[in-house]
Every structure is written in structure tokens, then in C-alpha cells.
Amino acid sequence: MVGGASGRGPGIPARNERPMVMDTQAVAETVDEMASLLRSDGADLRLVSADPRTDRIEISLVLDGAECEDCVLPAELLRQMISDALARRVSGEFELVLHDPRS
């Protein structure tokens, strides 16, 4: 899991605290912002799902328009950048799944 560091464990709210619910609109906006960085290389990101019940965010890297797949950020760096961007905008913990056709 990525994000949040409450020490209580995922999904266990403190007394008088509501459980955090994933803001799917913030997820979509963040994915679009990150995708804009890749479009100059002909790549794109597609949000597959953002499930508030499981705190799972699934994204696909699309390379259909990329002339040079190696010119797109390496998978681990791309995953870290997306994860960091999401952590700044999405409250609580989440699992990020990045489908990268290069791996």
C-alpha cells in the first residue's frame, strides 16, 4: 500500500474520525495531469479503475502513438512519479497497479 502513515493500519479510523473515502475525481485529474507529461513522447495513461471500496487504483500505460517506447519514462520511475502525485491529492492509503506493456 502507498500513501498515508497513520500507524493504525489501513481502514481503521481513530475515535470520532470518519473513514477516508477515495476521491475518484482527484484520482482522474491526477492521472490526466501525469498523462500530459507523456503525450509529448506519444504515450498516454488511461485510468482503468479507482475503487474506493478496495483503495485500489489501476492505470494502463498506452504506447500506441509512441514512436520510441524507450523514450518514455522507465516503468519504475513512471510508477513512482504517479504514486507521488496521487499521494499528494488522494487522502489515505491506496494500492497502485500500473500496467506497462514494456514489462
PDB file of all heavy atoms in Angstrom, residues 53-76:
ATOM      1  N   ARG A  53     -13.792   1.137  -2.497  1.00  0.00           N
ATOM      2  CA  ARG A  53     -14.028   0.011  -1.578  1.00  0.00           C
ATOM      3  C   ARG A  53     -12.752  -0.744  -1.266  1.00  0.00           C
ATOM      4  O   ARG A  53     -12.567  -1.225  -0.156  1.00  0.00           O
ATOM      5  CB  ARG A  53     -15.075  -0.939  -2.141  1.00  0.00           C
ATOM      6  CG  ARG A  53     -16.483  -0.336  -2.187  1.00  0.00           C
ATOM      7  CD  ARG A  53     -17.459  -1.236  -2.900  1.00  0.00           C
ATOM      8  NE  ARG A  53     -17.033  -1.306  -4.311  1.00  0.00           N
ATOM      9  CZ  ARG A  53     -17.009  -2.421  -5.031  1.00  0.00           C
ATOM     10  NH1 ARG A  53     -17.395  -3.555  -4.517  1.00  0.00           N
ATOM     11  NH2 ARG A  53     -16.603  -2.399  -6.282  1.00  0.00           N
ATOM     12  N   THR A  54     -11.872  -0.850  -2.269  1.00  0.00           N
ATOM     13  CA  THR A  54     -10.634  -1.610  -2.079  1.00  0.00           C
ATOM     14  C   THR A  54      -9.406  -0.710  -1.989  1.00  0.00           C
ATOM     15  O   THR A  54      -8.305  -1.199  -1.756  1.00  0.00           O
ATOM     16  CB  THR A  54     -10.416  -2.588  -3.252  1.00  0.00           C
ATOM     17  OG1 THR A  54     -10.309  -1.831  -4.476  1.00  0.00           O
ATOM     18  CG2 THR A  54     -11.549  -3.589  -3.348  1.00  0.00           C
ATOM     19  N   ASP A  55      -9.598   0.611  -2.188  1.00  0.00           N
ATOM     20  CA  ASP A  55      -8.494   1.582  -2.200  1.00  0.00           C
ATOM     21  C   ASP A  55      -7.455   1.207  -3.258  1.00  0.00           C
ATOM     22  O   ASP A  55      -6.258   1.392  -3.071  1.00  0.00           O
ATOM     23  CB  ASP A  55      -7.834   1.704  -0.825  1.00  0.00           C
ATOM     24  CG  ASP A  55      -8.774   2.296   0.200  1.00  0.00           C
ATOM     25  OD1 ASP A  55      -9.555   3.189  -0.165  1.00  0.00           O
ATOM     26  OD2 ASP A  55      -8.737   1.857   1.365  1.00  0.00           O
ATOM     27  N   ARG A  56      -7.938   0.683  -4.376  1.00  0.00           N
ATOM     28  CA  ARG A  56      -7.051   0.254  -5.460  1.00  0.00           C
ATOM     29  C   ARG A  56      -7.236   1.176  -6.666  1.00  0.00           C
ATOM     30  O   ARG A  56      -8.359   1.411  -7.111  1.00  0.00           O
ATOM     31  CB  ARG A  56      -7.363  -1.176  -5.847  1.00  0.00           C
ATOM     32  CG  ARG A  56      -6.464  -1.709  -6.924  1.00  0.00           C
ATOM     33  CD  ARG A  56      -6.759  -3.151  -7.202  1.00  0.00           C
ATOM     34  NE  ARG A  56      -5.850  -3.626  -8.242  1.00  0.00           N
ATOM     35  CZ  ARG A  56      -5.688  -4.872  -8.560  1.00  0.00           C
ATOM     36  NH1 ARG A  56      -6.361  -5.803  -7.937  1.00  0.00           N
ATOM     37  NH2 ARG A  56      -4.856  -5.208  -9.505  1.00  0.00           N
ATOM     38  N   ILE A  57      -6.104   1.656  -7.186  1.00  0.00           N
ATOM     39  CA  ILE A  57      -6.096   2.495  -8.381  1.00  0.00           C
ATOM     40  C   ILE A  57      -5.345   1.727  -9.457  1.00  0.00           C
ATOM     41  O   ILE A  57      -4.207   1.320  -9.250  1.00  0.00           O
ATOM     42  CB  ILE A  57      -5.403   3.843  -8.104  1.00  0.00           C
ATOM     43  CG1 ILE A  57      -6.132   4.591  -6.987  1.00  0.00           C
ATOM     44  CG2 ILE A  57      -5.325   4.681  -9.381  1.00  0.00           C
ATOM     45  CD1 ILE A  57      -5.383   5.797  -6.451  1.00  0.00           C
ATOM     46  N   GLU A  58      -6.005   1.535 -10.592  1.00  0.00           N
ATOM     47  CA  GLU A  58      -5.416   0.763 -11.678  1.00  0.00           C
ATOM     48  C   GLU A  58      -5.288   1.663 -12.906  1.00  0.00           C
ATOM     49  O   GLU A  58      -6.259   2.292 -13.338  1.00  0.00           O
ATOM     50  CB  GLU A  58      -6.314  -0.428 -11.980  1.00  0.00           C
ATOM     51  CG  GLU A  58      -5.692  -1.469 -12.829  1.00  0.00           C
ATOM     52  CD  GLU A  58      -6.544  -2.736 -12.900  1.00  0.00           C
ATOM     53  OE1 GLU A  58      -7.515  -2.876 -12.126  1.00  0.00           O
ATOM     54  OE2 GLU A  58      -6.222  -3.580 -13.756  1.00  0.00           O
ATOM     55  N   ILE A  59      -4.067   1.732 -13.445  1.00  0.00           N
ATOM     56  CA  ILE A  59      -3.750   2.615 -14.567  1.00  0.00           C
ATOM     57  C   ILE A  59      -3.012   1.808 -15.631  1.00  0.00           C
ATOM     58  O   ILE A  59      -2.189   0.953 -15.301  1.00  0.00           O
ATOM     59  CB  ILE A  59      -2.861   3.786 -14.093  1.00  0.00           C
ATOM     60  CG1 ILE A  59      -3.579   4.598 -13.023  1.00  0.00           C
ATOM     61  CG2 ILE A  59      -2.442   4.668 -15.260  1.00  0.00           C
ATOM     62  CD1 ILE A  59      -2.705   5.623 -12.336  1.00  0.00           C
ATOM     63  N   SER A  60      -3.285   2.127 -16.900  1.00  0.00           N
ATOM     64  CA  SER A  60      -2.575   1.487 -18.011  1.00  0.00           C
ATOM     65  C   SER A  60      -1.760   2.530 -18.763  1.00  0.00           C
ATOM     66  O   SER A  60      -2.250   3.624 -19.038  1.00  0.00           O
ATOM     67  CB  SER A  60      -3.553   0.845 -18.990  1.00  0.00           C
ATOM     68  OG  SER A  60      -4.100  -0.315 -18.443  1.00  0.00           O
ATOM     69  N   LEU A  61      -0.540   2.155 -19.091  1.00  0.00           N
ATOM     70  CA  LEU A  61       0.293   2.958 -19.970  1.00  0.00           C
ATOM     71  C   LEU A  61      -0.044   2.557 -21.401  1.00  0.00           C
ATOM     72  O   LEU A  61      -0.028   1.375 -21.740  1.00  0.00           O
ATOM     73  CB  LEU A  61       1.774   2.711 -19.683  1.00  0.00           C
ATOM     74  CG  LEU A  61       2.771   3.374 -20.625  1.00  0.00           C
ATOM     75  CD1 LEU A  61       2.686   4.899 -20.520  1.00  0.00           C
ATOM     76  CD2 LEU A  61       4.184   2.899 -20.316  1.00  0.00           C
ATOM     77  N   VAL A  62      -0.361   3.542 -22.237  1.00  0.00           N
ATOM     78  CA  VAL A  62      -0.721   3.295 -23.626  1.00  0.00           C
ATOM     79  C   VAL A  62       0.414   3.804 -24.498  1.00  0.00           C
ATOM     80  O   VAL A  62       0.782   4.979 -24.430  1.00  0.00           O
ATOM     81  CB  VAL A  62      -2.050   4.006 -23.990  1.00  0.00           C
ATOM     82  CG1 VAL A  62      -2.418   3.765 -25.437  1.00  0.00           C
ATOM     83  CG2 VAL A  62      -3.159   3.564 -23.054  1.00  0.00           C
ATOM     84  N   LEU A  63       0.957   2.907 -25.307  1.00  0.00           N
ATOM     85  CA  LEU A  63       2.110   3.253 -26.142  1.00  0.00           C
ATOM     86  C   LEU A  63       1.784   3.224 -27.636  1.00  0.00           C
ATOM     87  O   LEU A  63       2.691   3.268 -28.469  1.00  0.00           O
ATOM     88  CB  LEU A  63       3.273   2.299 -25.854  1.00  0.00           C
ATOM     89  CG  LEU A  63       3.839   2.363 -24.439  1.00  0.00           C
ATOM     90  CD1 LEU A  63       4.835   1.242 -24.203  1.00  0.00           C
ATOM     91  CD2 LEU A  63       4.485   3.724 -24.204  1.00  0.00           C
ATOM     92  N   ASP A  64       0.508   3.173 -28.006  1.00  0.00           N
ATOM     93  CA  ASP A  64       0.102   3.061 -29.403  1.00  0.00           C
ATOM     94  C   ASP A  64       0.680   4.170 -30.280  1.00  0.00           C
ATOM     95  O   ASP A  64       1.029   3.934 -31.432  1.00  0.00           O
ATOM     96  CB  ASP A  64      -1.427   3.052 -29.526  1.00  0.00           C
ATOM     97  CG  ASP A  64      -2.048   1.833 -28.868  1.00  0.00           C
ATOM     98  OD1 ASP A  64      -1.327   0.847 -28.612  1.00  0.00           O
ATOM     99  OD2 ASP A  64      -3.263   1.861 -28.596  1.00  0.00           O
ATOM    100  N   GLY A  65       0.787   5.377 -29.760  1.00  0.00           N
ATOM    101  CA  GLY A  65       1.280   6.502 -30.558  1.00  0.00           C
ATOM    102  C   GLY A  65       2.754   6.798 -30.358  1.00  0.00           C
ATOM    103  O   GLY A  65       3.288   7.738 -30.952  1.00  0.00           O
ATOM    104  N   ALA A  66       3.423   6.022 -29.537  1.00  0.00           N
ATOM    105  CA  ALA A  66       4.839   6.287 -29.237  1.00  0.00           C
ATOM    106  C   ALA A  66       5.730   5.729 -30.337  1.00  0.00           C
ATOM    107  O   ALA A  66       5.659   4.540 -30.657  1.00  0.00           O
ATOM    108  CB  ALA A  66       5.219   5.679 -27.895  1.00  0.00           C
ATOM    109  N   GLU A  67       6.540   6.588 -30.927  1.00  0.00           N
ATOM    110  CA  GLU A  67       7.489   6.130 -31.946  1.00  0.00           C
ATOM    111  C   GLU A  67       8.667   5.407 -31.298  1.00  0.00           C
ATOM    112  O   GLU A  67       9.276   4.532 -31.893  1.00  0.00           O
ATOM    113  CB  GLU A  67       7.980   7.310 -32.770  1.00  0.00           C
ATOM    114  CG  GLU A  67       6.894   7.898 -33.643  1.00  0.00           C
ATOM    115  CD  GLU A  67       7.404   9.035 -34.499  1.00  0.00           C
ATOM    116  OE1 GLU A  67       8.603   9.047 -34.854  1.00  0.00           O
ATOM    117  OE2 GLU A  67       6.592   9.917 -34.813  1.00  0.00           O
ATOM    118  N   CYS A  68       8.990   5.808 -30.088  1.00  0.00           N
ATOM    119  CA  CYS A  68      10.139   5.243 -29.379  1.00  0.00           C
ATOM    120  C   CYS A  68       9.700   4.866 -27.964  1.00  0.00           C
ATOM    121  O   CYS A  68       9.624   5.729 -27.092  1.00  0.00           O
ATOM    122  CB  CYS A  68      11.274   6.273 -29.349  1.00  0.00           C
ATOM    123  SG  CYS A  68      12.665   5.805 -28.301  1.00  0.00           S
ATOM    124  N   GLU A  69       9.419   3.594 -27.726  1.00  0.00           N
ATOM    125  CA  GLU A  69       8.966   3.158 -26.404  1.00  0.00           C
ATOM    126  C   GLU A  69      10.024   3.390 -25.342  1.00  0.00           C
ATOM    127  O   GLU A  69       9.708   3.658 -24.181  1.00  0.00           O
ATOM    128  CB  GLU A  69       8.567   1.684 -26.440  1.00  0.00           C
ATOM    129  CG  GLU A  69       7.305   1.428 -27.240  1.00  0.00           C
ATOM    130  CD  GLU A  69       6.878  -0.022 -27.213  1.00  0.00           C
ATOM    131  OE1 GLU A  69       7.503  -0.840 -26.503  1.00  0.00           O
ATOM    132  OE2 GLU A  69       5.898  -0.342 -27.913  1.00  0.00           O
ATOM    133  N   ASP A  70      11.295   3.293 -25.719  1.00  0.00           N
ATOM    134  CA  ASP A  70      12.373   3.511 -24.760  1.00  0.00           C
ATOM    135  C   ASP A  70      12.515   4.980 -24.366  1.00  0.00           C
ATOM    136  O   ASP A  70      13.189   5.301 -23.394  1.00  0.00           O
ATOM    137  CB  ASP A  70      13.706   3.001 -25.323  1.00  0.00           C
ATOM    138  CG  ASP A  70      13.722   1.494 -25.454  1.00  0.00           C
ATOM    139  OD1 ASP A  70      12.996   0.825 -24.686  1.00  0.00           O
ATOM    140  OD2 ASP A  70      14.446   0.984 -26.328  1.00  0.00           O
ATOM    141  N   CYS A  71      11.889   5.885 -25.138  1.00  0.00           N
ATOM    142  CA  CYS A  71      11.950   7.320 -24.836  1.00  0.00           C
ATOM    143  C   CYS A  71      10.981   7.692 -23.706  1.00  0.00           C
ATOM    144  O   CYS A  71      11.102   8.755 -23.111  1.00  0.00           O
ATOM    145  CB  CYS A  71      11.635   8.142 -26.076  1.00  0.00           C
ATOM    146  SG  CYS A  71      12.820   7.889 -27.413  1.00  0.00           S
ATOM    147  N   VAL A  72      10.008   6.821 -23.444  1.00  0.00           N
ATOM    148  CA  VAL A  72       9.046   7.033 -22.364  1.00  0.00           C
ATOM    149  C   VAL A  72       9.731   6.645 -21.057  1.00  0.00           C
ATOM    150  O   VAL A  72      10.564   5.739 -21.023  1.00  0.00           O
ATOM    151  CB  VAL A  72       7.777   6.185 -22.605  1.00  0.00           C
ATOM    152  CG1 VAL A  72       6.776   6.360 -21.475  1.00  0.00           C
ATOM    153  CG2 VAL A  72       7.145   6.544 -23.945  1.00  0.00           C
ATOM    154  N   LEU A  73       9.383   7.341 -19.990  1.00  0.00           N
ATOM    155  CA  LEU A  73       9.994   7.060 -18.683  1.00  0.00           C
ATOM    156  C   LEU A  73      10.033   5.563 -18.386  1.00  0.00           C
ATOM    157  O   LEU A  73       9.066   4.853 -18.667  1.00  0.00           O
ATOM    158  CB  LEU A  73       9.202   7.747 -17.575  1.00  0.00           C
ATOM    159  CG  LEU A  73       9.305   9.259 -17.482  1.00  0.00           C
ATOM    160  CD1 LEU A  73       8.284   9.798 -16.493  1.00  0.00           C
ATOM    161  CD2 LEU A  73      10.696   9.669 -17.075  1.00  0.00           C
ATOM    162  N   PRO A  74      11.116   5.082 -17.777  1.00  0.00           N
ATOM    163  CA  PRO A  74      11.179   3.673 -17.366  1.00  0.00           C
ATOM    164  C   PRO A  74      10.038   3.346 -16.394  1.00  0.00           C
ATOM    165  O   PRO A  74       9.584   4.209 -15.637  1.00  0.00           O
ATOM    166  CB  PRO A  74      12.536   3.561 -16.672  1.00  0.00           C
ATOM    167  CG  PRO A  74      13.329   4.725 -17.157  1.00  0.00           C
ATOM    168  CD  PRO A  74      12.337   5.802 -17.465  1.00  0.00           C
ATOM    169  N   ALA A  75       9.594   2.099 -16.421  1.00  0.00           N
ATOM    170  CA  ALA A  75       8.425   1.672 -15.652  1.00  0.00           C
ATOM    171  C   ALA A  75       8.496   2.047 -14.172  1.00  0.00           C
ATOM    172  O   ALA A  75       7.535   2.579 -13.616  1.00  0.00           O
ATOM    173  CB  ALA A  75       8.223   0.165 -15.808  1.00  0.00           C
ATOM    174  N   GLU A  76       9.616   1.774 -13.511  1.00  0.00           N
ATOM    175  CA  GLU A  76       9.700   2.053 -12.069  1.00  0.00           C
ATOM    176  C   GLU A  76       9.663   3.550 -11.764  1.00  0.00           C
ATOM    177  O   GLU A  76       9.042   3.979 -10.798  1.00  0.00           O
ATOM    178  CB  GLU A  76      10.945   1.417 -11.460  1.00  0.00           C
ATOM    179  CG  GLU A  76      10.738  -0.028 -11.070  1.00  0.00           C
ATOM    180  CD  GLU A  76       9.518  -0.240 -10.175  1.00  0.00           C
ATOM    181  OE1 GLU A  76       9.366   0.434  -9.138  1.00  0.00           O
ATOM    182  OE2 GLU A  76       8.685  -1.089 -10.534  1.00  0.00           O
TER     183      GLU A  76
END
